[in-house]
């Protein structure tokens, strides 16, 4: 507050009252209930922070009053007077408001009466105009439907209906064949294609009628075009073929690329099936899929063009012949007769040109696969696959087709890669040739070569189409020269370093394994070539076992030194000298066959082991029988020399009692 109502230095009435009314100041006990004390207590308990008190004090402060006795006496009266004056002014203002409200009420009553009258008139008008409005709404709805149908009819007519002028331009022979003709023809072809959509609607009759009508119009257009082309020069026909071939080549190339990548050429021709490049991880399947697509496309293209060149070939030939005869200046000077149109040849040439782009891409991708995979078997399989499809395309397009040259070139590239890889493998054989196998089994490089050769033989057997046995054999000989002969030569080099009999055992193991692998396919069977070498090694090994029998049995001394009974009698005058040989023979015979099997234990063909032992035993028995005959002849000679007076210790037969039959039984 700006001023105070209690001067400084003067105690406030409340404080004065406290001091006056305090029981301590009076010196007497205060009563329990006193009105003045309650009032004072009420005043003391009031909060001077109350908003009403603060507003009252603020009002007093604004009056700028002083706390005097006169002011305190008149302030209540002044305030009440002001309050009465304000209330009077408010009453006067509210009186004016009441008068205005009365005038507004009267105006509202007038307005309500006017509105009621207007509602009556509007209701009557609505009743009179209701049927007219309903009819107007129905008419507007019908108009909207008619407008929609009109728009649909206009759109349908502009798209599916050909005007009389365009129809005359398309079919009338009086009109020239120019850009306008082909424009209308293109539109009719579009109408023919779009009419097929109408066949899927509820009203199929409309689609059928438009389809039939557009077909008639197209036939008439083609007839007009055909008649227009006939009198033209043959060069025009060739130009048409060139333009057609160029267009078809672009289309086929784009379709092939779409089949490879799975990206459609346009929205109207989605790609069916998976993209061929998804199988690029399998090179053989990848190339096979591309060739299969090319074959399918070639068959479809040929069938589509056969109608033109085969069914209508005679008419085309006649027209071209007439054109050539009408243009004698177009013939060469040395031509005495005019060429005859060959529909089949023209068809094959056109198909060749249509698929040139496809086979160009095929060749690039095939050679890329061959170069990126340095695997001999894969390169040979690819070569055989290309050769197989070459024979198929030769039957389809003829052996003079330019597409066959592309396939043959790719096949030769794959075959050259195969030969290069095989030669690199042969060069790497030097490390394997320096090691002689301890078990005399076929070396690892020969085993791997035969495994590779088995794959090559299987591929060749499934890809060749000729039934001539000689041709099949001759066709596989270059493969044997590259994939087998160098490895057999390496085995021969190892054989030369081995000692007898290991060299023969090793050679037989290698040759037998080779013969067994080649016998799987008749065109690769080299049994006739390998058999002489097998016989030579078998004969040498049989001779080795035979010699071993002679040395281990002790007969080698007799066989090598005794050629007649006289030599035997002279060398063994004392029969006891043969006893050591007889004893060694007796010790040899029981285990002779088993020892021979152990001696040939590293020879893998057990049938051959048995045959070698049997032949060696037969030779041994023959040698023994010769010695036996010589012993008997020597005994007879001695008996003659002593005039029959032979003692028991003089008979060689008694010291050497074994017979040939016994030997055969023991060695069987």
């Amino acid at each position: 507050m700006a001023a105070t109502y209690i001067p400084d230095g003067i105690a406030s009435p409340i404080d004065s009252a406290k001091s006056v009314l305090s029981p301590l100041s009076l010196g007497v006990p205060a009563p329990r209930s006193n009105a003045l004390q309650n009032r004072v207590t009420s005043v003391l308990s009031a909060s001077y922070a109350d908003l009403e008190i603060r507003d009252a004090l603020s009002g007093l402060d604004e009056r700028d009053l002083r706390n005097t006795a006169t002011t305190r006496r008149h302030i209540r009266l002044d305030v009440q007077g002001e309050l009465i004056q304000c209330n009077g002014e408010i009453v006067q203002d509210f009186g004016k408001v009441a008068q205005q409200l009365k005038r507004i009420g009267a105006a509202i009553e007038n307005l309500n009466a006017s509105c009621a009258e207007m509602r009556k008139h509007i209701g009557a008008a609505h009743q009179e105009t209701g049927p007219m409005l309903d009819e107007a709404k129905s008419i507007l709805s019908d108009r909207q439907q008619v407008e929609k149908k009109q728009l649909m009819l206009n759109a349908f007519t502009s798209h599916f209906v050909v005007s009389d002028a365009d129809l005359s331009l398309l079919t009338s022979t009086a009109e020239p064949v120019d850009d306008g003709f082909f424009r209308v023809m293109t539109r009719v072809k579009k109408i023919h294609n779009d009419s097929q959509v109408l066949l899927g609607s509820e009203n199929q009759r409309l689609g059928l009628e438009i389809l039939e009508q557009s077909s008639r119009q197209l036939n008439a257009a083609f007839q007009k075009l055909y008649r227009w082309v006939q009198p033209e020069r043959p060069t025009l026909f060739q130009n048409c073929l060139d333009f057609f071939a160029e267009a078809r080549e672009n289309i086929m190339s784009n379709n092939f690329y779409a089949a490879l990548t799975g990206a459609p050429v346009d929205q109207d021709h989605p790609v069916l099936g998976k993209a061929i490049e998804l199988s690029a991880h399998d090179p053989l399947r990848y190339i096979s899929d591309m060739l299969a697509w090319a074959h399918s496309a070639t068959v479809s293209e040929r069938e589509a063009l056969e109608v033109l060149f085969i069914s209508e070939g005679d008419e085309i030939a006649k027209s071209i012949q007439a054109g050539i005869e009408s243009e004698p200046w177009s013939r060469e000077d040395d031509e005495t007769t005019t060429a005859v149109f060959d529909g089949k040849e023209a068809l094959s040439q056109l198909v060749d040109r249509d698929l040139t782009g496809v086979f160009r891409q095929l060749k690039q991708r095939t050679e890329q696969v061959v170069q990126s995979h340095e695997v001999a078997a894969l390169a040979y399989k690819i070569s055989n696959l290309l050769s197989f499809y070459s024979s198929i395309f030769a039957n389809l397009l003829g052996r003079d087709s330019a597409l066959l040259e592309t396939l043959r070139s790719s096949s030769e590239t794959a075959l050259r890669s195969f030969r290069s890889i095989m030669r690199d493998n042969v060069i790497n054989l030097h490390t394997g040739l320096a090691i002689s196998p301890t078990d005399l089994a076929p070396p690892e490089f020969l085993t791997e070569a035969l495994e590779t050769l088995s794959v090559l033989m299987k591929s060749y057997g499934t890809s060749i189409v000729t039934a001539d046995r000689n041709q099949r054999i001759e066709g596989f000989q270059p493969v044997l020269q590259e994939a087998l002969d160098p490895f057999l030569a390496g085995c021969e080099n190892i054989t030369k370093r081995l000692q007898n009999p290991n060299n023969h055992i090793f050679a037989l193991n290698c040759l037998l394994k080779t013969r067994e692998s080649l016998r799987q396919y008749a065109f690769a069977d080299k049994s006739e070539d390998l058999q002489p070498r097998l016989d030579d090694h078998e004969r040498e090994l049989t001779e080795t076992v035979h010699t071993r029998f002679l040395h281990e049995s002790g007969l080698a001394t007799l066989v090598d030194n005794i050629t007649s009974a006289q030599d035997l009698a002279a060398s063994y005058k004392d029969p006891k000298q043969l006893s050591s040989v007889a004893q060694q023979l007796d010790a040899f015979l029981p285990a002779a066959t088993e020892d021979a099997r152990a001696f040939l234990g590293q020879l893998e063909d057990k049938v051959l082991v048995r045959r070698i032992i049997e032949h060696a035993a037969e030779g041994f028995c023959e040698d023994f029988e010769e010695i036996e005959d010589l012993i008997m002849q020597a005994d007879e000679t001695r008996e003659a020399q002593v005039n029959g007076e032979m003692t028991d210790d003089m008979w060689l037969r008694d010291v050497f009692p074994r017979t040939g039959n016994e030997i055969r039984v023991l060695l069987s």
Side-chain angles (χ1 to χ4, degrees), residues 376-435:
L378 177 61
Y380 186 73
K381 287 181 179 180
I382 293 175
S383 176
N384 282 340
L385 181 63
L386 293 171
S387 299
F388 174 73
Y389 272 95
S390 295
S391 62
I392 294 178
F393 280 102
N395 296 330
L396 187 62
L397 301 176
R399 298 194 175 275
D400 296 332
S401 173
L403 300 180
L404 293 181
E405 293 300 325
T406 303
L407 292 179
R408 293 190 185 106
S409 176
S410 300
S411 179
E412 289 296 329
T413 300
L415 195 58
R416 284 195 300 270
S417 177
F418 161 72
R419 292 170 180 168
S420 176
I421 296 172
M422 292 306 301
R423 289 168 185 171
D424 292 342
N425 293 340
V426 172
I427 294 174
N428 296 331
L429 279 181
H430 295 296
T431 303
L433 295 177
I435 302 175

Side-chain angles (χ1 to χ4, degrees), residues 554 557-558 562 567-584 631 638 649-656:
T557 304
L558 300 177
I562 304 301
D567 294 338
L568 182 61
S571 299
Y572 296 94
K573 295 180 179 179
D574 185 0
K576 294 181 180 180
Q577 294 177 343
L578 285 176
S579 60
S580 61
V581 177
Q583 293 174 0
Q584 186 175 353
I631 290 175
R638 284 189 176 186
D649 57 353
M650 295 177 63
W651 294 96
L652 294 176
R653 188 60 175 172
D654 293 339
V655 180
F656 207 83

Side-chain angles (χ1 to χ4, degrees), residues 408-651:
R408 293 190 185 106
S409 176
S410 300
S411 179
E412 289 296 329
T413 300
L415 195 58
R416 284 195 300 270
S417 177
F418 161 72
R419 292 170 180 168
S420 176
I421 296 172
M422 292 306 301
R423 289 168 185 171
D424 292 342
N425 293 340
V426 172
I427 294 174
N428 296 331
L429 279 181
H430 295 296
T431 303
L433 295 177
I435 302 175
S436 300
T438 57
D439 58 354
L440 304 182
E444 184 177 358
F445 66 81
L446 179 62
T447 303
E448 293 178 354
L450 293 177
E451 291 177 355
T452 302
L453 189 60
S454 297
V455 177
L456 301 182
M457 289 188 296
K458 182 179 180 180
S459 175
Y460 182 79
T462 56
S463 62
I464 56 176
V465 295
T466 178
D468 191 337
R469 181 175 180 272
N470 294 330
Q471 291 183 0
R472 292 163 64 93
I473 294 176
E474 292 176 1
F476 197 69
Q477 290 305 310
V479 180
L480 293 176
Q481 294 174 1
E482 297 288 344
L484 179 62
D485 292 349
F487 300 95
L488 290 180
C491 293
E492 290 182 359
N493 293 333
I494 296 177
T495 301
K496 294 177 182 179
R497 298 199 307 267
L498 297 175
Q499 300 295 326
N500 189 23
N502 291 345
N503 56 347
H504 301 297
I505 294 176
F506 175 75
L508 285 171
N509 286 335
C510 294
L511 293 175
L512 289 171
K513 188 174 184 65
T514 302
R515 185 180 67 177
E516 180 182 359
S517 298
L518 297 181
R519 277 181 173 177
Q520 299 176 11
Y521 297 91
F523 57 81
D525 191 1
K526 294 185 65 176
S527 298
E528 295 181 359
D529 298 334
L530 297 177
Q531 194 59 45
R533 300 165 65 180
L534 289 169
D535 293 340
D536 291 340
H537 289 290
E538 181 180 351
R539 184 168 50 254
E540 293 293 334
L541 198 56
T542 301
E543 184 62 30
T544 300
V545 176
H546 176 217
T547 303
R548 178 182 175 83
F549 280 172
L550 292 176
H551 283 284
E552 291 184 354
S553 64
L555 291 183
T557 304
L558 300 177
V559 173
D560 295 339
N561 299 322
I562 304 301
T563 58
S564 62
Q566 291 77 12
D567 294 338
L568 182 61
S571 299
Y572 296 94
K573 295 180 179 179
D574 185 0
K576 294 181 180 180
Q577 294 177 343
L578 285 176
S579 60
S580 61
V581 177
Q583 293 174 0
Q584 186 175 353
L585 176 62
D586 291 339
F588 159 75
L589 289 175
T593 303
E594 294 299 328
D595 292 343
R597 289 195 182 95
F599 181 70
L600 301 176
Q602 292 178 315
L603 184 59
E604 296 180 353
D605 190 346
K606 301 308 176 183
V607 177
L608 180 59
V609 170
R610 180 178 179 181
R611 186 167 64 247
I612 290 174
I613 294 175
E614 289 177 353
H615 291 169
E618 181 64 26
F620 178 79
C621 292
E622 292 176 356
D623 293 338
F624 180 83
E625 289 174 350
E626 292 180 1
I627 298 298
E628 183 182 11
D629 291 340
L630 293 177
I631 290 175
M632 294 178 66
Q633 293 176 11
D635 285 343
E636 292 177 357
T637 302
R638 284 189 176 186
E639 184 178 8
Q641 290 176 356
V642 297
N643 295 325
E645 296 179 358
M646 294 283 290
T647 59
D648 293 339
D649 57 353
M650 295 177 63
W651 294 96

